[in-house]
Amino acid sequence: MRTDPPPTGPAAAPGPPGEPPPAEDLLAAELVRRYGSPLYVYDLARVEQAAADLRAALPEGAHLYYSLKANPHPELVRTLRLAGCRPEICSTGELAAVLEAGFDGADCLYGGPGKTAEELGEGLAAGVRTFSVESPADLRRVGAQARARGVTARCLLRINGAGAGAGVGLRMTGGASQFGHDIADGLPDLAEFTVDGTELSGLHFFPLTNAADPQGLLAEAVASIRTAAALEAHWGLPLRMLDLGGGFACPYAAPGERPRYDALREPLTAALDAHLPGWRGRLELAFESGRYLVGDSGRLVCTVTEVKESRGTTYGVLDSGINHLGGLSGVGRLPSLRAEPLRLADPGAGDEADGTRRVALVGPLCTPADVIRRAAEAVPPRPGALLSVPNVGAYGATASLLGFLSRPAPAEITVRDGRVVGADRLALRREPLPDHDHDPAVHEARS
């Protein structure tokens, strides 16, 4: 549930003398004044540019799917729909965001392990017809729900192959994994994947994520293409869809630019031509991305509430912490965090004659784990100063511990050309559940 945040927060300090602050910083300070602190700001023009850049790096005619796990905010999803992307989803909540953004269920690729009968039924009822399945049991669950509705589900078998062994990014497959059908001991029999209510239409690979090295990413994609060709020959069944996954990187919670993958298109096309001849006329080629498409569009703006000293370390206590950013970093899913001050004048800072000290930036939560930045040499912030964490359009609010300590979620503001497109925030609330023991339909079904 999203609700509008109240227009509260500290007023912006004026820019430093002699040099006007960047427009993005002035906008961020104005948004804090209007909507309160902390808040996320998403620049939709950056989302459009990222989609154009990635599409230009992929083989001509390839389809690009947006992985909503990176950020399901409907305005970002809507922007990517208008940019020609399709949605890749893993839950009914993501399905709801997709439908709100103007997609049809038929546009979706629905994947992920552990899909339940209830969510498969909800997806099929909404028009979803393409699923990535992780195992024969997963395929049978899809088939049962499709048969119950008199429809056929198009299924891609996700493969846990050997990969290329590239030492980049976070590996998803290539070893023991809950993801994909393991082919380490040989290629599977097609009969194992022949299930009424389903049609095995292709293959799905996603060996790694966040791979900044283009050559490593290329090596993994080529290895997947070779595996796809081997399975096609083994089964004697032409593939109609091949999803080569993603792995496209973006800096996280630190300054930096998105990598360029300009050298991918030609060698990827050559590998497809060599191993899957005639693929252009018969094969729907797909790639996925979450963080690359939205990562550099967002930043988290927060306020320093207190500065205190403890045994040689200065602590800047913020009004935002791991409940708003980086909760997944604690389980190794995301790198550690580093905040960056907005370039706004701080009237109390003077000429910074105090010099640098060891500074740690921490959040407001009652746990020592609530650290945005470990102690490093820096100019200490001052109470009331605004800080900005860049490159957090992906794996920000919804990848954090929003329910911990029951603090409000940050506001989320979408902007284009310096103007506000929308302002809202997520809200957690409890809902009463029906008592099925008093439902006559349930009693009848049980009997």
Side-chain angles (χ1 to χ4, degrees):
M1 174 181 177
R2 292 184 178 270
T3 60
D4 290 334
T8 61
E19 180 181 346
E24 285 187 345
D25 290 358
L26 290 175
L27 174 62
E30 170 63 15
L31 293 176
V32 167
R33 187 189 67 77
R34 292 169 60 185
Y35 299 106
S37 174
L39 56 78
Y40 277 91
V41 186
Y42 306 122
D43 187 335
L44 301 180
R46 286 182 177 268
V47 175
E48 293 168 343
Q49 187 59 56
D53 289 347
L54 187 52
R55 194 180 301 281
L58 301 176
E60 187 175 358
H63 297 288
L64 183 55
Y65 282 79
Y66 172 56
S67 297
L68 265 77
K69 65 180 70 68
N71 190 332
H73 193 289
E75 200 61 55
L76 273 65
V77 180
R78 184 177 294 110
T79 298
L80 287 165
R81 175 178 65 83
L82 296 174
C85 296
R86 299 177 180 181
E88 185 267 321
I89 61 174
C90 296
S91 70
T92 52
E94 291 183 350
L95 173 61
V98 160
L99 298 177
E100 182 181 347
F103 281 105
D104 294 326
D107 299 319
C108 298
L109 170 61
Y110 200 129
K115 295 183 283 292
T116 67
E118 290 77 12
E119 65 183 296
L120 286 169
E122 187 172 334
L124 288 161
V128 179
R129 292 295 180 267
T130 305
F131 295 85
S132 172
V133 297
E134 310 276 350
S135 66
D138 196 13
L139 182 68
R140 290 193 292 271
R141 285 193 295 273
V142 174
Q145 294 302 312
R147 290 194 304 275
R149 288 159 180 77
V151 299
T152 299
R154 183 174 74 149
C155 293
L156 311 180
L157 176 61
R158 184 169 177 178
I159 298 296
N160 179 10
V168 292
L170 174 67
R171 294 214 64 86
M172 305 288 286
T173 57
S177 175
Q178 71 267 43
F179 301 111
H181 185 71
D182 201 335
I183 61 170
D185 297 325
L187 300 180
D189 191 326
L190 182 60
E192 194 175 10
F193 297 94
T194 303
V195 174
D196 288 344
T198 71
E199 178 184 26
L200 187 61
S201 297
L203 300 171
H204 181 194
F205 296 84
F206 206 117
L208 79 170
T209 184
N210 203 21
D213 174 24
Q215 291 307 309
L217 189 63
L218 174 62
E220 292 290 342
V222 171
S224 297
I225 291 169
R226 288 176 177 150
T227 301
L231 276 166
E232 183 178 58
H234 173 69
W235 286 338
L237 179 71
L239 301 175
R240 291 195 291 280
M241 183 172 177
L242 175 61
D243 184 343
L244 290 174
F248 308 104
C250 184
Y252 180 72
E257 302 295 326
R258 286 184 284 107
R260 302 290 301 194
Y261 294 103
D262 299 334
L264 283 183
R265 171 174 275 196
E266 291 187 9
L268 271 179
T269 302
L272 289 161
D273 289 338
H275 299 288
L276 293 167
W279 64 273
R280 288 176 181 80
R282 64 178 177 86
L283 184 65
E284 180 183 330
L285 180 65
F287 293 85
E288 304 166 36
S289 178
R291 74 179 75 236
Y292 189 90
L293 291 175
V294 299
D296 78 341
S297 74
R299 56 167 157 169
L300 173 63
V301 183
C302 53
T303 302
V304 179
T305 61
E306 181 181 353
V307 177
K308 61 181 292 187
E309 301 290 332
S310 178
R311 304 187 185 189
T313 295
T314 301
Y315 285 87
V317 184
L318 313 179
D319 61 358
S320 182
I322 57 174
N323 56 328
H324 297 160
L325 176 68
L328 284 181
S329 63
V331 295
R333 180 62 180 80
L334 298 172
S336 59
L337 304 177
R338 180 162 63 92
E340 174 187 87
L342 284 171
R343 287 184 286 174
L344 295 173
D346 183 347
D351 59 0
E352 296 179 352
D354 291 341
T356 64
R357 296 198 295 276
R358 290 186 61 78
V359 178
L361 298 176
V362 299
L365 306 183
C366 298
T367 170
D370 191 15
V371 179
I372 296 298
R373 179 177 178 173
R374 298 289 175 186
E377 285 293 320
V379 176
R382 293 185 177 268
L386 295 181
L387 300 184
S388 170
V389 186
N391 289 320
V392 289
Y395 301 108
T398 54
S400 301
L401 307 178
L402 284 175
F404 188 47
L405 268 76
S406 301
R407 298 180 72 91
E412 295 180 82
I413 317 298
T414 51
V415 300
R416 183 189 298 280
D417 299 327
R419 295 182 174 84
V420 173
V421 174
D424 56 28
R425 66 155 42 96
L426 285 165
L428 299 178
R429 59 185 176 87
R430 295 188 179 275
E431 296 179 340
L433 295 177
D435 185 350
H436 292 304
D437 283 341
H438 295 87
D439 188 339
V442 172
H443 284 290
E444 183 179 348
R446 288 175 178 170
S447 61

